[in-house]
Amino acid sequence: MKLNKNDIAAQIKNRNPSYRAFLIYGRDEGMVRERAEKIARQVVADLRDPFLVAHIEPDRLKSEPYLLADEAAAISMMGGQRVIRIDGAGENVTLAAKSFLEDAVGDGLVIITAGGIKTTSALVKLFDKAKNAASIGCYEDDQYSIQNLIHEVMAEYDLAIDPAAVAFLQANLGGDRMVSRG
């Protein structure tokens, strides 16, 4: 399902458990990484835990499309739900994603990131139409979203910021979320 701006914010804070997979894509690769991490942390606190987080290389899914379903169905030795990450994906994962979404076994949450993929790609269209998955587009921040980011970061550190400083930052921060957040 293609999510709108309000739905995206809601899923990043508290994901709908009926979504078995997320495709997070777009030109703002910093935002792609940030959103993928926030969604994954809803399931797994330590994203470096090898028992709860599996990483699959996108090219591997082209030759072994069944691997995605196998990883999603795998049960962690330590208990708990798993996250399956596929970073840097392109059309090479479409067949595996389609197969998984048609028969989503197990309880693993699949998160696919695809930085430069276009909205016209078969992978995006697949996720846009799926009832059990969501697509999240990530585009450069505009003035409003930069202002929200500034206030969010200040609130994280319990700091206040002068309106003139906000205006300066809005005028000088770029279009990459991770650079702006830094």
Side-chain angles (χ1 to χ4, degrees):
M1 173 173 288
K2 184 176 183 174
L3 300 179
N4 65 38
K5 194 178 247 186
N6 292 334
D7 291 336
I8 290 170
Q11 291 305 308
I12 290 171
K13 287 182 182 168
N14 188 20
R15 75 174 180 86
N16 180 337
S18 69
Y19 294 143
R20 299 297 316 282
F22 285 88
L23 171 64
I24 306 169
Y25 68 97
R27 293 182 304 269
D28 188 340
E29 293 194 25
M31 187 182 295
V32 168
R33 286 190 304 276
E34 179 179 288
R35 287 176 169 175
E37 184 175 307
K38 284 183 176 183
I39 291 170
R41 285 193 186 280
Q42 293 179 43
V43 175
V44 176
D46 181 3
L47 298 180
R48 295 172 295 172
D49 184 333
F51 296 108
L52 293 175
V53 180
H55 293 272
I56 303 174
E57 291 296 320
D59 286 335
R60 191 163 174 211
L61 287 177
K62 190 169 186 172
S63 60
E64 302 173 67
Y66 58 85
L67 185 59
L68 180 57
D70 287 353
E71 286 290 349
I75 299 171
S76 171
M77 291 175 27
M78 308 310 273
Q81 188 177 8
R82 297 178 73 234
V83 170
I84 297 82
R85 292 287 306 260
I86 301 142
D87 295 314
E91 295 301 324
N92 51 354
V93 304
T94 304
L95 180 61
K98 183 177 188 294
S99 178
F100 171 72
L101 292 174
E102 287 174 352
D103 184 24
V105 294
D107 71 346
L109 176 66
V110 174
I111 299 175
I112 301 172
T113 63
I117 203 164
K118 298 182 184 207
T119 57
T120 57
S121 80
L123 184 61
V124 173
K125 289 179 179 180
L126 172 69
F127 273 76
D128 284 351
K129 292 177 184 172
K131 301 280 189 236
N132 59 347
S135 68
I136 298 175
C138 300
Y139 306 102
E140 290 85 7
D141 283 323
D142 58 17
Q143 292 300 311
Y144 178 75
S145 57
I146 289 175
Q147 180 180 358
N148 286 341
L149 176 64
I150 293 165
H151 290 293
E152 177 186 323
V153 171
M154 293 295 117
E156 284 176 23
Y157 295 98
D158 200 27
L159 297 171
I161 187 166
D162 186 79
V166 172
F168 175 81
L169 288 172
Q170 279 182 292
N172 290 288
L173 289 177
D176 185 286
R177 174 62 63 97
M178 293 305 277
V179 173
S180 296
R181 187 174 283 283

